[in-house]
Amino acid sequence: MAAAAAETRVFLEVRRRLQSALLILGEPKEGGVPLDVSVTPSSLQVKTPTGCTELRLPAEVRLAPSSCHGLRYVAGDGLHLRLQTQADFSPKLVSMFNQSSQAQECCTFYCQSCGEVIIRDRKLLRVLPLPSENWGALVGEWCCHPDPFANKPLHPQENDCFIGDTFVLVNLRSDLWQPRPELVPLETHCLSSENRFQLKPKANTKVICKRCKVMLGETMSSETTKFYMTEIIIQPSERNFPIIPRSRFVQSVIAQCLVELSSARSTFRFTVQGQDGKAYILLWLLNSDSLVIESLGSSKSIKKFPLLEDILEADSGSAWNAVKVLYQPCIKSRNQSLARLWDSDISVHSLTLPSATCLELLLILSRNNASLPPSLRCMNSFQLESKNAPNTFRGNKQGSYVVISLPN
């Protein structure tokens, strides 16, 4: 999409709904080098005495060269300016767990990390969304008689698939192959003063992949298993297993989840927690209509992480749909008071993932944040006053883009 022949970095964020764009032209390594910038409806070109960087735009995006305004210099970034754009709205997201896409089809469940088959040729006759996590508390407002759903858990039947925010529930009763639960040591309990002991197995509901030992989900009952969306891929049985880099897959699933929840429930603040209930990340969704286009002239200077090598192997120029979030880590006792405030706020939605995936996501956010122009990495005055208490991102308020991979 782009051909970069110089070290000048070109960064363009297009806001589809606002029909506007922010253009950042990075500083050349040699200070004081003149820049010759050419803007056309379909491309950007930056010439220096040492080379040329050209950025070609996707077909659905057009710039208005005569609308350039707000030119200013930002130390550490380079030149900032704004333009008007004509950008088509991105296609509607179609989740891989969408009811209509999977119902009535024979599907195969794979471990996303290694491709191991988890469930083979399962015909899903009903693919239904689960109610929100606090639906039980609202039943009293709906019914004028005692709760008819009390003590009646929602468990899928043999050909059902129930969809939660970050997981799916399936019935494994008829499957010959089932994921092997993780084994744990037995616990000893003293029964009397006679020093007699009894071995009692410790309950462990983790479901792990036989091949790569990654945690896939949890057993909810003897027949019902919860699989996390970040750990499995569900494909029609006639299709082959799609090889998707891990970091790209995690970003896609989380980003689609944020977009869908914000649209359906007008929820914009999220707590990402492990399966043990421990908070790892606080997320605040800012917008979901960004198209980011850049020439990655400076990507070599960013520290590489093995988990994210697929991102760094991208072409020197790239474009992707993105959601923009503020985030704060909660590991190592950081931001604990803010996490407690959010935990007691009914407008904050919890997203539960395996603990290892929470750490992966935090690493991805940190990597994406470090790849942004310096002026876009932090927001220093972002806060929201709640009715009960101030919920404020204090200190280093970090903003990061999360890539959404749209299905073809």
Side-chain angles (χ1 to χ4, degrees):
M1 179 172 292
E7 292 299 322
T8 303
R9 178 179 186 176
V10 181
F11 179 91
L12 181 71
E13 180 190 1
V14 178
R15 293 292 305 277
R16 297 179 186 272
R17 290 192 178 92
L18 300 180
Q19 297 290 290
S20 67
L22 169 65
L23 173 62
I24 300 178
L25 303 176
E27 292 181 301
K29 289 185 176 180
E30 299 83 7
V33 174
L35 297 177
D36 183 4
V37 182
S38 175
V39 180
T40 70
S42 61
S43 67
L44 293 163
Q45 191 177 76
V46 181
K47 293 182 179 179
T48 67
T50 59
C52 174
T53 299
E54 185 177 6
L55 195 68
R56 296 194 178 276
L57 306 181
E60 69 272 15
V61 178
R62 286 293 178 267
L63 300 178
S66 61
S67 67
C68 294
H69 66 283
L71 178 64
R72 63 192 180 99
Y73 172 78
V74 177
D77 265 8
L79 295 178
H80 285 222
L81 60 92
R82 293 189 175 275
L83 308 92
Q84 292 180 358
T85 64
Q86 293 179 350
D88 296 335
F89 282 96
S90 58
K92 183 179 180 182
L93 295 181
V94 180
S95 171
M96 62 193 303
F97 302 96
N98 185 275
Q99 295 96 300
S100 60
S101 66
Q102 300 295 343
Q104 308 297 324
E105 293 185 7
C106 281
C107 297
T108 297
F109 290 52
Y110 299 92
C111 169
Q112 193 279 326
S113 297
C114 69
E116 177 76 0
V117 174
I118 307 303
I119 303 175
R120 189 186 300 276
D121 297 335
R122 169 65 67 89
K123 188 175 182 63
L124 301 177
L125 300 180
R126 296 194 307 168
V127 180
L128 303 173
L130 288 168
S132 61
E133 59 183 10
N134 57 349
W135 70 275
L138 301 177
V139 171
E141 303 295 330
W142 300 338
C143 303
C144 58
H145 48 78
D147 182 1
F149 306 106
N151 301 319
K152 293 183 179 179
L154 298 176
H155 290 315
Q157 299 301 311
E158 183 174 336
N159 296 110
D160 293 345
C161 179
F162 292 170
I163 305 174
D165 293 336
T166 58
F167 61 87
V168 295
L169 295 181
V170 293
N171 189 303
L172 295 183
R173 174 176 52 190
S174 62
D175 286 274
L176 297 178
W177 189 96
Q178 292 189 22
R180 182 179 60 188
E182 192 175 72
L183 300 178
V184 296
L186 300 178
E187 288 186 334
T188 58
H189 298 269
C190 181
L191 296 180
S192 68
S193 58
E194 300 176 2
N195 265 344
R196 291 183 299 167
F197 291 85
Q198 179 182 2
L199 291 177
K200 182 178 180 181
K202 179 182 178 181
N204 192 337
T205 62
K206 288 183 180 180
V207 175
I208 64 173
C209 174
K210 281 185 175 180
R211 179 188 292 176
C212 66
K213 310 304 180 184
V214 165
M215 177 181 173
L216 302 174
E218 301 173 81
T219 56
M220 308 301 292
S221 70
S222 59
E223 298 177 354
T224 301
T225 299
K226 173 198 289 185
F227 290 111
Y228 290 104
M229 292 181 182
T230 53
E231 313 308 316
I232 63 169
I233 289 180
I234 303 177
Q235 284 280 102
S237 295
E238 65 269 15
R239 298 183 188 176
N240 295 325
F241 171 74
I243 300 176
I244 305 174
R246 176 64 181 166
S247 60
R248 190 180 306 166
F249 181 79
V250 171
Q251 289 184 82
S252 176
V253 172
I254 297 301
Q256 291 194 50
C257 181
L258 296 181
V259 172
E260 291 170 2
L261 288 174
S262 64
S263 175
R265 303 181 187 176
S266 295
T267 297
F268 302 96
R269 290 185 295 160
F270 304 87
T271 301
V272 180
Q273 61 183 24
Q275 77 277 1
D276 56 357
K278 176 184 176 182
Y280 282 82
I281 312 170
L282 305 179
L283 289 176
W284 200 322
L285 177 64
L286 297 183
N287 66 271
S288 57
D289 65 336
S290 289
L291 175 67
V292 179
I293 309 167
E294 65 176 325
S295 174
L296 302 175
S298 61
S299 62
K300 293 182 180 180
S301 64
I302 300 173
K303 184 178 180 180
K304 295 184 178 182
F305 298 102
L307 173 68
L308 308 174
E309 286 300 299
D310 61 282
I311 297 177
L312 299 172
E313 291 171 0
D315 192 89
S316 59
S318 56
W320 62 90
N321 293 292
V323 300
K324 186 160 53 176
V325 300
L326 295 176
Y327 77 97
Q328 286 281 26
C330 296
I331 60 174
K332 296 183 178 179
S333 301
R334 298 173 62 183
N335 301 301
Q336 293 303 303
S337 59
L338 181 58
R340 286 191 292 270
L341 282 174
W342 281 37
D343 186 56
S344 60
D345 192 328
I346 61 173
S347 66
V348 177
H349 193 80
S350 296
L351 302 176
T352 302
L353 303 170
S355 297
T357 303
C358 294
L359 295 175
E360 284 183 66
L361 178 59
L362 184 57
L363 179 59
I364 291 169
L365 289 170
S366 299
R367 169 60 177 78
N368 286 2
N369 181 263
S371 69
L372 292 174
S375 65
L376 300 183
R377 296 176 191 174
C378 301
M379 296 185 69
N380 295 322
S381 59
F382 192 87
Q383 67 179 31
L384 174 68
E385 295 294 333
S386 173
K387 181 178 179 181
N388 297 322
N391 290 328
T392 307
F393 269 32
R394 301 185 184 278
N396 185 26
K397 285 132 308 252
Q398 298 173 316
S400 177
Y401 290 98
V402 181
V403 174
I404 300 179
S405 300
L406 296 176
N408 296 327

